[in-house]
């Protein structure tokens, strides 16, 4: 019925625009009213004709009308963006916006308008400040005597019990233990209804230790609620639960970062490799080239792998592995030289890599600055086109190391060639900036300043994070390396000397020197042995 409604909408759009000369944006609004009526009749008297809905016919129609008009808050800005900025034909652009909101409309219609009974087990009106009292998290069981559906033990530091499979944490997944021996979780993730009716703006409500994020689509949006207790409870709406990558990246990982800080560890946005029992951190802004560099170092130079995106740093200077699946791009695939992907996977990568590329994320950041339900949009897009993620050991032969003391830190940048030693203070600032860059997508900026863990607020946790990093890296050798392309894999092995600042290699350079002789300037060449003193 939803697909037939899209057809009706497209025909009505063309009729209003081409036959009556109505401006395409207004035509899209009018076409929505036509398709809403046809969709309602088909849904009411055919698709859900066997349901004994507890709402009246009038209420169902008005709710359905409100839902489809609420999606215009998303569709109209997208339609204008596609036509005015990207030059897409209005007919194609309208079809794209209908596809993007298709999942939201289905979830709302199926789970709320035509629901047989209400699934709300407790008040969900986040708009009513003070109306809710914190309730203790309950563990999710898959059967009598069974443990949570998904359980993760992150490096022995903290535990997560979840109703949603978190692919990024698959390396840390554990089996359920007997109830007498299992440790209490630090985070509990469960799926439930968060939010209520649609609204014109994103709402963020803080009440009695609960932080609720609700987008314009109301209960149908990719909403979530954080209860800052022990354990921390993350309640996620069904739409967000169906896009676990968005849930992990934009909610769970950002929370893990500061929960680990409260335990005395740092979750640093960095790649990490190991050679001769020593770890090397590679830190850079997103999309600089860490993944392809790590692949080349592992494949061509025999390094062991710890991570390519996030690394856990202990206060005593150890790097602990955090082997999330890699997000592949065409550039990354050229580093793998084909890998082990099947033909179908490589064909899908053509679309996936572009959507989840730097340019695709730039569009997402721009949309995030607008008053639109950006997390819901992101969730739907990634349900339809999931990111191309693969564990490195599924692509090539390699060994995943558990941990190692940190000997070297490289701050990777693109630009005119440069290599210089960096002071710990400057390095810490840039490492934190690079980590913040990984959390630039909404809703991190909305909820992070309001988190409080173990009696420490957001600012206190950030200061502690810097102190922990400074303590951990006090014995490491820190370098800034800038290259014009992606040549780090050839350069970095030559720069990995002892961490004490002594000279491991004595490269000979031919350096042009201006010398004044007999009143004239003469260009001479001297052999210079360069020693780094730190």
């Amino acid at each position: 019925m939803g697909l037939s409604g899209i057809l009706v909408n497209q025909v009505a759009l063309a009729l209003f625009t081409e036959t009556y000369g109505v401006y395409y944006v207004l035509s899209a609004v009018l076409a929505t009213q036509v398709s809403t009526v046809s969709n309602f009749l088909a849904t009411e008297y055919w698709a859900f004709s066997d349901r004994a809905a507890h709402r009246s016919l009038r209420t169902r129609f008005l709710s359905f009308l409100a839902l489809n008009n609420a999606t215009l808050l998303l569709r109209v800005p997208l339609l204008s963006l596609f036509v005015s900025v990207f030059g897409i034909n209005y007919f194609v652009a309208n079809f794209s916006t209908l596809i993007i909101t298709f999942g939201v409309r289905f979830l709302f219609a199926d789970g709320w308008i035509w629901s047989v009974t209400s699934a709300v087990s407790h008040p969900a009106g986040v708009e009513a400040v003070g109306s809710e009292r914190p309730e203790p998290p309950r563990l999710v069981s898959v059967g009598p005597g069974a443990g949570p559906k998904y359980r993760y033990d992150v490096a022995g530091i903290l535990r997560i019990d979840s109703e949603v499979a978190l692919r990024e944490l698959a390396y840390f997944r554990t089996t359920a233990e007997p109830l007498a021996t299992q440790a209490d979780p630090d985070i509990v993730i469960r799926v439930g209804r968060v939010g209520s009716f649609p609204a014109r703006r994103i709402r963020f409500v803080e009440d009695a230790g609960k932080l609720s994020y609700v987008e314009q689509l109301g209960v149908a949006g990719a909403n979530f609620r954080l209860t800052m207790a022990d354990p921390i409870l993350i309640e996620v709406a069904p739409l967000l639960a169906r896009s676990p990558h968005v849930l992990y990246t934009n909610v769970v990982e950002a929370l893990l970062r500061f929960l680990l800080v409260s335990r005395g560890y740092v979750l640093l946005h960095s790649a990490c490799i190991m050679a001769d029992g020593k770890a090397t951190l590679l830190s850079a802004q997103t999309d600089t080239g860490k993944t392809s560099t790590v692949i080349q170092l592992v494949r061509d130079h025999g390094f062991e792998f710890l991570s390519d995106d996030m690394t856990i740093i202990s206060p005593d200077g150890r790097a602990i592995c955090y082997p999330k699946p890699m997000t592949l791009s065409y550039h990354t695939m050229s580093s793998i030289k084909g890998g082990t992907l099947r033909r179908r996977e490589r064909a899908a990568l053509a679309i996936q890599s572009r959507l989840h590329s730097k340019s695709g994320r730039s569009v997402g950041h721009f949309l995030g600055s607008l008053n639109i339900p950006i997390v819901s949009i992101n969730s739907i897009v990634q349900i339809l086109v999931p990111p191309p993620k693969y564990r490195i050991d599924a692509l090539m032969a390699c060994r995943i190391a558990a941990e190692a003391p940190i000997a070297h830190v490289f701050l990777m940048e693109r630009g005119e060639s440069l290599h210089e030693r960096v002071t710990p203070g400057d390095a810490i600032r840039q490492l934190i900036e690079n980590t913040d860059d990984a959390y630039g997508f909404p809703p991190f900026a909305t909820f992070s300043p309001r988190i409080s863990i173990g009696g420490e607020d957001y600012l206190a946790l950030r200061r502690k994070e810097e102190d922990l990093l400074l303590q951990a890296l006090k014995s490491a050798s820190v370098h800034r390396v800038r290259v014009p392309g992606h040549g780090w894999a050839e350069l970095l092995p030559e720069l990995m000397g002892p961490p004490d600042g002594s000279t491991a290699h004595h490269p000979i350079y031919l350096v042009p020197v201006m010398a004044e002789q007999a009143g004239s300037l003469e260009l001479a060449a001297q052999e210079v042995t360069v020693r780094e003193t730190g």
Side-chain angles (χ1 to χ4, degrees), residues 404-415:
I406 301 169
H408 311 285
V409 179
F410 290 99
L411 305 175
M412 298 166 53
E413 300 175 357
R414 285 188 190 169

Side-chain angles (χ1 to χ4, degrees), residues 15 96 123 140 145 167 197 199 228 281 329 344 387 407 430 491 517 519:
L15 181 65
S96 301
V140 181
R167 187 179 178 186
F197 292 99
M228 306 306 296
L281 294 177
S329 65
R344 183 184 64 181
Q430 188 165 345
L491 180 62
Q517 294 182 358

Side-chain angles (χ1 to χ4, degrees), residues 405-487:
I406 301 169
H408 311 285
V409 179
F410 290 99
L411 305 175
M412 298 166 53
E413 300 175 357
R414 285 188 190 169
E416 186 177 351
S417 296
L418 172 71
H419 169 225
E420 62 181 3
R421 293 290 289 270
V422 180
T423 64
D426 289 339
I428 299 305
R429 283 190 291 271
Q430 188 165 345
L431 289 169
I432 296 295
E433 288 175 4
N434 290 346
T435 299
D436 287 338
D437 178 65
Y439 300 102
F441 202 83
F444 174 74
T446 303
F447 75 84
S448 60
R450 294 168 172 85
I451 65 174
S452 177
I453 302 174
E456 296 176 297
D457 62 15
Y458 176 67
L459 293 179
L461 290 168
R462 288 188 67 95
R463 288 192 295 268
K464 184 176 181 179
E465 185 177 49
E466 293 187 12
D467 293 340
L468 289 169
L469 264 182
L470 192 61
Q471 178 183 349
L473 303 181
K474 61 185 179 182
S475 299
S477 170
V478 186
H479 306 254
R480 176 177 285 108
V481 180
R482 188 180 300 150
V483 299
H486 293 82

Side-chain angles (χ1 to χ4, degrees), residues 290-307:
K290 295 191 306 297
T291 297
S292 57
T293 301
V294 166
I295 288 173
Q296 292 178 67
L297 290 172
V298 170
R299 185 195 65 213
D300 300 335
H301 298 274
F303 285 88
E304 296 181 43
F305 177 86
L306 279 85
S307 66

Side-chain angles (χ1 to χ4, degrees), residues 219-238:
V219 72
N223 312 317
F224 63 90
R225 181 184 295 115
L226 305 178
T227 302
M228 306 306 296
D230 186 16
I232 296 173
L233 172 64
I234 306 176
E235 297 171 277
V236 299

